[in-house]
Amino acid sequence: MTRDKKNAEDSCLIHQHAVEIPIDDSAQRVESSALRSPDGPAGEPISRKEKTEQGLEEQRELTSDKSNTKDDGSDDFPEGGARAWSVTAGSFCGSFAVFGVINTTAVFQEYFSTHQLSGYSPGQIGWIFSLSLFLTFFCGNPIGPVFDAKGPRVLVFGGGILLVASMMLLGLCTKYWHFFLVYSVLNGLGGCLMNTPAIASIGHFFLVKRGNATGVAMTSGSIGGIIFPLMLQKLIPKLGFAWATRILGFILVALVVIANFLIRSRLPRRKYKAANVLPDLTVFKDPIFAFVTLGIFLLEWGIFVPLAYITSYAVAHGASTAFGFQVVALLNAGSFFGRILAGWLADMIGRLNTLIITVSLCVLTNLALWLPAGDSKPLLIVFALSFGFASGSNLSLAPVCVGQLCKTEHYGRYYATCWMVVSFA
């Protein structure tokens, strides 16, 4: 085999420092007679060592040209260590600020329907939270390419400001359109700016253990869903709704400050192009990605119904408002353990396999527990714990399933494009 005819294995060894490719004698004789120095027939043939050095130089240039498109298998992911877990801790705090409030939706829904917005139907009030969720996920499409090109710093900073401002102003709202501007728009856009870099940054530091690391970070939403409802239950009667939400806002200040310090990216930045902020529908040419996106769409469509209406359901069936707040906390307590266990299990048996199992559990708990619950508090408690366990793992595994369908340097774009579609659910 001649030097310029490398086999497939040789072309894959990007990080090799020496290449030894055998050259048969007949080929060497032909090359020796053909490759002469510029001095003419009397010149010396180019030596084997010189040809090898030339090949190495060509290979280095080829490696340099392809450095930005290498696959994940050639990258050395930390898979742990102080820096990687500090990013996970920052993602935990950022997700706490976003999903802790989202998982308190049922409490806000019940309070608004009996106080500031008592003249509106539950469906009309639900649009406030639906729009917030829609913006949180839909607007991630332009955020993903910005994260890939510029990193997380500006995004996390801007998202933190909007999240805090939303909660600080919420207590001043008295009219329907006030809640749309303050909660739906400010909270939705802030959640979008915070959520995309918080999740995508984990993918820069973990590959094999990505499911476990993402699961740990996403437990923050469950913890927030436990703390915030119980906190509001105690503070609203004593201090009023305005100061209760302001205190929640001060907690968000601490969380977003930590997130700003800890969330970072690792891989080389991609060149930013204004066209990249537009939806990249070409990724749906991959049928696997298209079907995964469809599955997550259907998952999110169904999963937020119990999360949003479980408190109203309990109160409508004779339970006290205090019990309605507590059942949300119980649902999020189950979600905490579901996210931890699912992330660990997903790295062992497969992310999509685990997601299929947990989705099946969600269907089972709704059919077997919530539908026949009626006025039964014990059955509603069992449903909250079991559904929380199953649904929490779904929310933490969905981003990981998307991440394994693309190169890590494209994770932000794929994640944002997927959730742009999912946001309509």
Side-chain angles (χ1 to χ4, degrees):
M1 178 182 296
T2 59
R3 175 66 187 86
D4 58 339
K5 294 182 179 179
K6 297 179 290 184
N7 58 32
E9 183 179 359
D10 292 331
S11 64
C12 293
L13 298 177
I14 296 178
H15 297 296
Q16 65 185 4
H17 297 287
V19 178
E20 189 69 29
I21 299 179
I23 303 177
D24 58 57
D25 293 336
S26 60
Q28 185 175 356
R29 284 194 299 270
V30 173
E31 291 181 359
S32 296
S33 62
L35 298 175
R36 300 285 179 177
S37 67
D39 294 334
E44 292 294 329
I46 298 176
S47 70
R48 185 174 181 176
K49 180 178 179 181
E50 289 173 342
K51 288 188 290 181
T52 301
E53 290 176 351
Q54 290 175 0
L56 284 172
E57 185 63 29
E58 292 172 359
Q59 186 173 5
R60 291 190 192 101
E61 293 175 359
L62 180 64
T63 301
S64 176
D65 292 340
K66 295 185 177 181
S67 62
N68 290 331
T69 59
K70 63 184 179 180
D71 57 38
D72 290 340
S74 66
D75 193 5
D76 186 16
F77 284 78
E79 301 292 352
R83 187 181 181 192
W85 285 112
S86 68
V87 171
T88 305
S91 178
F92 177 95
C93 292
S95 298
F96 199 119
V98 177
F99 292 101
V101 175
I102 289 176
N103 289 340
T104 314
T105 295
V107 172
F108 288 126
Q109 168 87 19
E110 172 60 24
Y111 188 86
F112 294 163
S113 64
T114 56
H115 291 80
Q116 298 101 318
L117 302 178
S118 57
Y120 294 86
S121 68
Q124 291 173 318
I125 298 172
W127 277 107
I128 296 171
F129 308 105
S130 297
L131 179 59
S132 177
L133 277 173
F134 174 78
L135 293 177
T136 297
F137 294 123
F138 179 82
C139 294
N141 184 72
I143 300 302
V146 174
F147 168 80
D148 292 335
K150 304 295 183 181
R153 188 68 61 212
V154 175
L155 299 174
V156 173
F157 180 78
I161 291 177
L162 293 180
L163 288 171
V164 172
S166 171
M167 202 51 56
M168 291 294 188
L169 296 173
L170 187 60
L172 302 177
C173 298
T174 57
K175 297 182 179 180
Y176 190 76
W177 65 271
H178 293 171
F179 290 97
F180 252 98
L181 289 178
V182 171
Y183 191 93
S184 300
V185 178
L186 286 183
N187 187 268
L189 293 178
C192 170
L193 291 169
M194 180 69 71
N195 179 50
T196 300
I199 299 301
S201 62
I202 295 177
H204 282 215
F205 292 85
F206 294 90
L207 181 63
V208 177
K209 299 180 180 179
R210 185 177 294 172
N212 186 34
T214 304
V216 170
M218 292 296 286
T219 59
S220 57
S222 302
I223 297 174
I226 297 171
I227 295 175
F228 291 163
L230 297 179
M231 184 187 78
L232 292 174
Q233 179 188 353
K234 296 294 184 181
L235 292 179
I236 290 175
K238 294 180 180 179
L239 303 177
F241 180 78
W243 268 108
T245 52
R246 288 184 192 123
I247 292 173
L248 197 156
F250 285 120
I251 295 175
L252 297 189
V253 170
L255 292 171
V256 299
V257 166
I258 297 173
N260 270 277
F261 278 111
L262 297 183
I263 295 177
R264 68 190 75 177
S265 59
R266 181 183 66 89
L267 298 179
R269 306 285 172 81
R270 300 180 63 218
K271 185 177 180 180
Y272 177 78
K273 297 179 181 178
N276 288 343
V277 303
L278 299 175
D280 186 8
L281 302 181
T282 59
V283 297
F284 292 106
K285 292 181 179 179
D286 179 3
I288 298 177
F289 178 78
F291 278 111
V292 168
T293 301
L294 176 61
I296 297 174
F297 175 91
L298 297 173
L299 168 66
E300 299 277 350
W301 192 2
I303 206 172
F304 279 101
V305 174
L307 292 175
Y309 291 104
I310 191 169
T311 297
S312 300
Y313 178 89
V315 173
H317 284 77
S320 64
T321 302
F323 177 79
F325 283 40
Q326 292 161 6
V327 78
V328 175
L330 290 173
L331 189 150
N332 284 291
S335 177
F336 173 84
F337 293 103
R339 298 181 192 209
I340 287 287
L341 179 61
W344 171 77
L345 188 63
D347 291 334
M348 295 178 59
I349 68 172
R351 286 80 183 258
L352 288 171
N353 294 334
T354 306
L355 190 61
I356 291 171
I357 294 172
T358 54
V359 169
S360 301
L361 286 175
C362 282
V363 174
L364 182 62
T365 55
N366 277 276
L367 294 176
L369 297 174
W370 197 18
L371 286 181
D375 298 334
S376 174
K377 287 185 179 180
L379 199 55
L380 191 59
I381 290 173
V382 173
F383 165 74
L385 290 170
S386 57
F387 180 79
F389 179 85
S391 64
S393 56
N394 295 336
L395 294 172
S396 63
L397 286 179
V400 184
C401 292
V402 173
Q404 73 180 42
L405 301 179
C406 63
K407 296 180 181 179
T408 301
E409 57 263 35
H410 301 152
Y411 185 28
R413 179 166 58 94
Y414 272 69
Y415 175 84
T417 302
C418 174
W419 260 262
M420 178 197 70
V421 176
V422 170
S423 64
F424 287 95

